Amino acid sequence: MSKRRYRALGAAVVLLVAGCGGGADGERGQPPPSRAATTPASPSAAPLPEPNGRLAKDPEGLAEDLNRTHRALGPAVDAWVRGDPSRTRPPEAVVHLALRQQRLYRALARDSGLERRTIARLPGAVAGPTRDNVTAVGKLLELAKPEDDLGKFRTREPVPAGVLLKHFKDAGKRFGVDWQVLAGIMLVETKYGRVKSPSWAGAQGPMQFLPATWRQSGMDGDIHDPRDAVMGAANYLTSSGAPDDYRRALHAYNPTPLYVEAVQRHARQMRRDPRAYYAYYNWQVFVVTSRGDVRITGPGVRR
């Protein structure tokens, strides 16, 4: 394979993005919530999901959990955005609800039959996002290579969500590409910069560039600087066919249809509902190991 093929494979293959629990990530905890409550209280009043709480295994329980989580996460994101996401960290409600949603998607991505039966029980407003996200997670799971040496992964807190969003939008305007595609790439590659270590192929920075490719597309910027990295990625996409042909451009970024499909599904959700970006921003890093998935960032994790 050419070096270009390995540009962005590291985080996308080992560190599962659309991450996506329960039986999937091997986490254990409290039993699934009662099915009696279908409409949650306000995010500040309703009990928050336990980070490692047990997930239901039946489609009815999973559908209820997905619906309840979706209905609570939207208002929680709205409350955060009404403040200043460029200066404030995500509220606890958003962090816990986004993680719950991510774990639910992971569980469904590993069982296509369970996915179909669960989605069939969801209202349309929840079924569409669930289908796109579970599909994206499944594509990336197909690319995953088990890695048991967790010590090799270095993580950090990401740049504030509002700051990153400005980078995506500025790059989109400058190069004529959709900011949602850039945001989808960083989600897949490093969970918005949470992954600090280079990939197994040597790709670096929040957008995972090989140094040789960065010299061609990075415009003399810093490969590790989030703004420079986003600008470099937009430049690379434009030179590879965007915005006329995003599939071609994304295939140049990482030449596997699985990766292309995953990024496009996430980008589509952000186009449909900008709040999806703020939920994705709070998705955590999971490592696929031979013993199951291990979450290495987020609430309850000590490293």
Side-chain angles (χ1 to χ4, degrees):
M1 296 181 181
S2 67
K3 283 190 176 181
R4 174 180 288 183
R5 179 170 181 79
Y6 294 105
R7 260 186 24 75
L9 284 177
V13 173
V14 179
L15 301 172
L16 266 286
V17 272
C20 357
D25 60 27
E27 296 177 332
R28 296 293 185 266
Q30 64 183 21
S34 166
R35 297 183 187 179
T38 57
T39 304
S42 67
S44 61
L48 296 178
E50 290 291 333
N52 299 326
R54 190 174 62 193
L55 303 182
K57 297 183 181 298
D58 61 290
E60 293 83 2
L62 288 166
E64 181 180 338
D65 201 343
L66 279 161
N67 191 40
R68 179 173 49 248
T69 302
H70 177 89
R71 291 169 65 118
L73 183 55
V77 168
D78 288 341
W80 178 27
V81 173
R82 283 195 294 269
D84 186 357
S86 296
R87 296 177 179 272
T88 61
R89 305 306 303 177
E92 189 177 41
V94 177
V95 174
H96 283 250
L97 289 165
L99 175 58
R100 184 73 171 189
Q101 188 179 66
Q102 181 187 13
R103 293 181 60 227
L104 288 162
Y105 293 153
R106 290 183 72 88
L108 294 181
R110 293 186 179 276
D111 188 330
S112 60
L114 184 61
E115 174 197 353
R116 288 193 299 272
R117 295 192 298 274
T118 299
I119 290 178
R121 289 166 169 79
L122 292 171
V126 186
T130 297
R131 186 178 293 108
D132 267 355
N133 284 303
V134 171
T135 298
V137 170
K139 299 297 183 185
L140 291 159
L141 282 170
E142 290 186 52
L143 287 173
K145 294 173 55 178
E147 175 57 69
D148 292 327
D149 183 9
L150 299 181
K152 70 193 303 181
F153 298 108
R154 292 179 291 124
T155 61
R156 62 184 170 193
E157 287 295 312
V159 170
V163 173
L164 279 180
L165 182 58
K166 186 176 187 305
H167 296 341
F168 295 137
K169 290 185 174 182
D170 286 350
K173 290 177 181 178
R174 176 174 174 180
F175 290 95
V177 300
D178 291 350
W179 71 261
Q180 296 91 341
V181 173
L182 297 167
I185 291 172
M186 192 185 286
L187 166 66
V188 169
E189 295 294 351
T190 63
K191 286 295 195 299
Y192 295 116
R194 283 179 174 81
V195 181
K196 184 179 179 181
S197 49
S199 76
W200 59 271
Q204 301 176 28
M207 298 298 271
Q208 290 287 278
F209 275 94
L210 283 176
T213 310
W214 181 254
R215 286 193 290 273
Q216 298 172 6
S217 302
M219 302 175 292
D220 297 322
D222 180 351
I223 195 171
H224 298 287
D225 179 81
R227 184 176 180 84
D228 288 353
V230 170
M231 290 292 175
N235 184 32
Y236 185 87
L237 290 176
T238 301
S239 68
S240 301
D244 295 330
D245 191 341
Y246 280 112
R247 183 167 292 274
R248 175 187 168 194
L250 288 168
H251 193 269
Y253 204 94
N254 193 327
T256 165
L258 299 171
Y259 178 91
V260 173
E261 183 74 9
V263 172
Q264 288 191 308
R265 294 267 181 167
H266 289 315
R268 180 162 66 187
Q269 285 308 307
M270 287 184 275
R271 291 189 188 101
R272 289 177 173 175
D273 185 352
R275 293 180 299 182
Y277 163 72
Y278 293 99
Y280 288 149
Y281 176 85
N282 287 280
W283 280 18
Q284 303 301 330
V285 179
F286 286 80
V287 178
V288 178
T289 76
S290 60
R291 303 178 304 280
D293 294 357
V294 178
R295 181 167 57 89
I296 62 172
T297 64
V301 172
R302 293 181 180 180
R303 295 207 70 203

